[in-house]
Amino acid sequence: MSDLKIRKNIVKNVKRIVIKIGSGVLTNGKDKIDEAVIKKIVLQTSLLVKKGCEVLIVSSGSIAAGKTELGIKKILTDIPSKQAAAAVGQSHLIGYYEKYFKKEKQKTAQVLLTHDDLSNRRRYLNARNALMTLLSFHVIPVINENDMVAVHEIKFGDNDTLSALVAHLVDADLLVILSHVDGLFTGDPAKDKKAALIPLVEKITPPLQKIAGKSSSPGSVGGMYTKLKAARITSDSGISTIIVNGTIDNVITRVFKGENIGTLFLSSSDKLTGKKHWIAHTLKIKGKLTLDEGAEKAVLKRGKSLLPSGISDIAGKFDSGDAVSCVDSKGKEFCRGLVNYSSRDLKKIMGKHTSKIEEILGFKVYDEVIHRDNLVTL
Ligand code: GLU
């Protein structure tokens, strides 16, 4: 099937869509939010809703709007200033969306999330229920990170990741990231004249991740690196992603006509279950276990749980129930899971047979350090 046919098939069948709009698009390359951009996005989104789609918007721009209001020109680097600017700007940002959606007779809701809201399984399900209820009321949620309270430990860090986790949370059919770049290129277009746009990515492979590098641009948080990470999160949830230049005229309408613009990332056929996806992509990793070759094989090839005997090293401080990553002797990560023992206890029992756990610790909760049901291979 041609790339174009694949696209047309995908966009034809979508019902629930998450659209992420970056600060670079909203400010149109200047240092303040361009209301005309929001108006255009709202008009195109409303057309989708009128056709029967459900749309959730993830919008950046609170810090940019706050800086304008406070008369700040420089790039803010310290967290309290960013938090203050976000608190001032968020109400203005949402005000713009409300103003233009109201003209289209659409209702909106402001939703502010932190990483913590999705790390706790109960709050994760609450957030999901609330968003689903908003959709059932035909309301368009306009979502942003709750920058006012989000300090490092509880931060998503970038709205690309937030949009992907939201898409997963609501079982969306498609994530569209409106960016200030055209999509994923074969190299860095700023440095390499031969770099060409990749229209279709069937699978996100390590060489592709290398191309994306860690690029970023002033005033925007995520570069192509965070966009690729977002596409990986959605792909693992069975959701396709389109990354496209948000400054193209009528970009949303054209994407949904199936035009070959931007880069389409296809969803993976081996979709992770809800809980495994949550372990792999939503939880913050609190520590690292180095496994010996035998344990690596048992986990990867034989579908086994992880026992203390296969652990050769431990890094980080974590409690039982936390998420940790497992690496091989070269430091390459190959799985993640929820541990049954804290780092303190694990240091005492690593490398030991399960029959020794109780003798060493004075108690035993489980034989497994990570049970197979709480383990996801990457
Ligand atoms: N939450 C930030 C804001 O609204 C932006 C984060 C991002 O662009 O990734 O300004």
Side-chain angles (χ1 to χ4, degrees):
M1 210 191 299
S2 73
D3 288 7
L4 203 61
K5 253 207 168 129
I6 295 177
R7 265 201 192 235
K8 287 207 189 280
N9 271 346
I10 287 180
V11 296
K12 195 172 76 193
N13 294 318
V14 294
K15 171 128 198 330
R16 188 169 294 155
I17 307 150
V18 176
I19 301 178
K20 185 259 170 177
I21 307 143
S23 301
V25 174
L26 289 174
T27 55
N28 211 353
K30 305 198 185 73
D31 59 1
K32 62 183 280 207
I33 302 259
D34 185 346
E35 259 195 71
V37 172
I38 297 195
K39 186 175 170 188
K40 283 184 201 157
I41 288 168
V42 164
L43 284 174
Q44 295 170 64
T45 305
S46 299
L47 285 178
L48 288 177
V49 174
K50 282 169 194 160
K51 272 195 212 147
C53 291
E54 293 170 330
V55 181
L56 301 96
I57 287 182
V58 174
S59 179
S60 304
S62 68
I63 297 177
K67 277 173 62 184
T68 308
E69 198 55 23
L70 295 168
I72 300 171
K73 288 258 185 294
K74 61 172 188 175
I75 293 177
L76 296 176
T77 46
D78 67 300
I79 292 189
S81 305
K82 281 190 191 172
Q83 287 176 315
V88 172
Q90 180 63 29
S91 56
H92 288 266
L93 181 67
I94 214 78
Y96 298 139
Y97 281 105
E98 249 180 18
K99 173 171 151 192
Y100 292 108
F101 271 122
K102 206 166 187 177
K103 287 191 182 157
E104 297 307 305
K105 305 202 169 25
Q106 306 289 342
K107 292 186 183 66
T108 55
Q110 168 178 264
V111 177
L112 298 176
L113 293 170
T114 65
H115 193 276
D116 245 16
D117 297 323
L118 304 189
S119 304
N120 171 300
R121 194 76 185 152
R122 188 171 51 82
R123 281 163 72 188
Y124 174 94
L125 295 173
N126 282 344
R128 177 186 159 88
N129 287 342
L131 285 173
M132 293 302 205
T133 309
L134 284 173
L135 294 179
S136 74
F137 288 161
H138 304 290
V139 170
I140 300 171
V142 181
I143 306 162
N144 197 356
E145 173 140 36
N146 193 353
D147 289 303
M148 177 62 200
V149 296
V151 288
H152 183 69
E153 304 76 54
I154 59 162
K155 216 171 165 41
F156 293 103
D158 62 87
N159 277 1
D160 295 322
T161 304
L162 172 62
S163 66
L165 291 173
V166 165
H168 166 69
L169 190 67
V170 300
D171 294 325
D173 303 307
L174 184 70
L175 167 65
V176 179
I177 297 185
L178 301 184
S179 164
H180 57 285
V181 294
D182 291 334
L184 181 68
F185 282 78
T186 52
D188 182 351
K191 294 182 198 143
D192 176 6
K193 284 214 172 82
K194 287 202 196 109
L197 181 75
I198 306 174
L200 180 74
V201 173
E202 290 182 30
K203 199 172 169 95
I204 299 171
T205 55
L208 268 190
Q209 272 160 328
K210 214 168 160 195
I211 294 178
K214 292 226 174 206
S215 62
S216 193
S217 71
S220 309
V221 178
M224 195 38 78
Y225 175 80
T226 59
K227 288 177 182 57
L228 220 64
K229 188 176 144 208
R232 173 80 200 269
I233 295 174
T234 45
S235 169
D236 277 354
S237 332
I239 302 167
S240 299
T241 298
I242 295 176
I243 297 176
V244 63
N245 192 325
T247 62
I248 295 175
D249 253 355
N250 276 320
V251 61
I252 299 176
T253 309
R254 289 171 66 182
V255 161
F256 286 94
K257 269 191 186 149
E259 275 189 40
N260 217 357
I261 46 176
T263 304
L264 164 66
F265 296 81
L266 294 185
S267 61
S268 153
S269 46
D270 348 299
K271 184 175 157 178
L272 295 175
T273 63
K275 186 174 168 201
K276 293 215 168 179
H277 190 281
W278 181 69
I279 293 170
H281 297 299
T282 304
L283 289 181
K284 289 215 167 167
I285 300 299
K286 298 280 173 61
K288 195 164 77 179
L289 312 182
T290 306
L291 306 197
D292 64 22
E293 221 174 291
E296 184 187 344
K297 271 203 190 124
V299 165
L300 286 182
K301 303 235 161 76
R302 291 190 279 125
K304 297 280 186 205
S305 297
L306 174 66
L307 301 176
S309 55
I311 304 172
S312 55
D313 197 16
I314 294 167
K317 230 175 155 183
F318 48 83
D319 288 321
S320 66
D322 280 343
V324 296
S325 99
C326 300
V327 301
D328 63 16
S329 56
K330 293 194 189 82
K332 188 168 172 283
E333 185 186 32
F334 60 91
C335 73
R336 289 181 178 186
L338 304 180
V339 270
N340 288 328
Y341 291 93
S342 69
S343 48
R344 226 179 66 184
D345 292 338
L346 213 45
K347 273 188 186 137
K348 296 181 194 153
I349 58 170
M350 72 178 195
K352 302 284 192 313
H353 194 267
T354 44
S355 60
K356 296 271 177 222
I357 298 178
E358 190 157 6
E359 192 185 314
I360 300 170
L361 297 180
F363 68 93
K364 179 166 91 174
V365 269
Y366 296 99
D367 276 350
E368 304 86 8
V369 173
I370 302 177
H371 191 274
R372 190 70 210 174
D373 293 347
N374 296 326
L375 185 146
V376 43
T377 56
L378 303 171

